[in-house]
Amino acid sequence: EPEVTQTPSHQVTQMGQEVILRCVPISNHLYFYWYRQILGQKVEFLVSFYNNEISEKSEIFDDQFSVERPDGSNFTLKIRSTKLEDSAMYFCASRRVGTSSYEQYFGPGTRLTVT
Amino acid sequence: GIQVEQSPPDLILQEGANSTLRCNFSDSVNNLQWFHQNPWGQLINLFYIPSGTKQNGRLSATTVATERYSLLYISSSQTTDSGVYFCAVGPTGNEKLTFGTGTRLTIIP
């Protein structure tokens, strides 16, 4: 069964550094998402992406964040200058378009630790 | 935005017991998903169930969309069922999922 994959599984970075989190959505999916979960808290929506542009973003998704689909398979989340409060689990998700289902398929997550 | 409430927040049960987890939401939805977060932090998709009833082994779920709630049933609990269960909803006309705060289930041998 096709799966969403994410790399790396765990990344440690120093405050102020740039990080890029990578995701490979399911191949025939066209809607992509990023969510994050700070330790001990609920999962929060960051951004949705369709047709090569952001369709919706949350208040969390400020100018420090950006998303890109650099080729036909990858979907990336970049944090330009990481802060301690960016430490969290980041989940990528994708879904098909053109069906009656709105189900989102989640990847295993990337645990980001900012020191 | 849409509000999602899960109850109970914590549930401790003996192995073999049955449990019911509840998710209330405040608006009409076109997406409702139940997840189990495992000890490694991964979100395991249990059900996509914006309406109706589904069953998968010892787990089943029912969503009554007109009354804005969903129930997740776990029968004959096993220790591997322990973890946090999240309900997430997608309001009609909106792509993003809003997650509840979860129910932490602990199954004691």
Side-chain angles (χ1 to χ4, degrees):
Chain A
E1 184 175 333
E3 293 180 336
V4 177
T5 59
Q6 291 185 241
T7 54
S9 57
H10 188 191
Q11 176 142 9
V12 181
T13 190
Q14 287 193 326
M15 195 166 51
Q17 295 296 303
E18 175 183 286
V19 295
I20 297 176
L21 310 183
R22 290 183 168 79
C23 169
V24 179
I26 295 172
S27 63
N28 61 349
H29 287 192
L30 297 178
Y31 236 116
F32 314 116
Y33 313 84
W34 284 101
Y35 294 82
R36 80 170 187 190
Q37 184 185 30
I38 294 171
L39 185 64
Q41 298 186 20
K42 65 178 181 178
V43 180
E44 302 172 288
F45 168 80
L46 289 178
V47 65
S48 58
F49 189 88
Y50 174 69
N51 202 23
N52 283 321
E53 61 182 24
I54 291 173
S55 54
E56 186 175 359
K57 60 182 180 179
S58 71
E59 293 176 352
I60 303 167
F61 194 88
D62 60 21
D63 292 343
Q64 292 285 74
F65 292 89
S66 62
V67 290
E68 191 179 26
R69 186 156 166 82
D71 53 42
S73 59
N74 290 283
F75 180 52
T76 61
L77 174 68
K78 181 192 292 185
I79 309 175
R80 287 190 183 80
S81 178
T82 50
K83 305 170 190 168
L84 294 176
E85 54 264 36
D86 293 327
S87 294
M89 189 77 140
Y90 288 81
F91 295 101
C92 172
S94 68
R95 79 164 182 92
R96 291 183 65 182
V97 175
T99 72
S100 59
S101 171
Y102 289 84
E103 183 174 8
Q104 295 183 20
Y105 294 78
F106 279 68
T110 292
R111 186 173 300 281
L112 176 65
T113 303
V114 182
T115 61
Chain B
I2 194 168
Q3 303 300 308
V4 184
E5 293 181 359
Q6 291 187 243
S7 59
D10 292 280
L11 188 56
I12 301 173
L13 296 172
Q14 207 78 32
E15 196 169 24
N18 301 328
S19 57
T20 301
L21 283 58
R22 186 177 180 102
C23 173
N24 291 335
F25 46 96
S26 61
D27 208 344
S28 61
V29 299
N30 58 22
N31 186 357
L32 190 145
Q33 294 182 239
W34 282 98
F35 296 91
H36 176 211
Q37 188 161 43
N38 67 18
W40 297 271
Q42 297 175 343
L43 290 172
I44 308 303
N45 188 29
L46 299 176
F47 293 103
Y48 166 70
I49 187 163
S51 63
T53 297
K54 289 185 178 179
Q55 180 157 5
N56 184 3
R58 296 183 295 105
L59 274 62
S60 64
T62 295
T63 298
V64 183
T66 53
E67 297 187 21
R68 298 182 181 165
Y69 73 89
S70 183
L71 301 173
L72 176 68
Y73 304 97
I74 305 173
S75 64
S76 304
S77 300
Q78 301 174 358
T79 55
T80 52
D81 294 330
S82 295
V84 182
Y85 289 79
F86 288 104
C87 166
V89 303
T92 302
N94 192 303
E95 279 296 324
K96 70 180 185 184
L97 285 178
T98 298
F99 282 71
T101 53
T103 291
R104 181 174 298 278
L105 178 64
T106 303
I107 304 299
I108 301 171

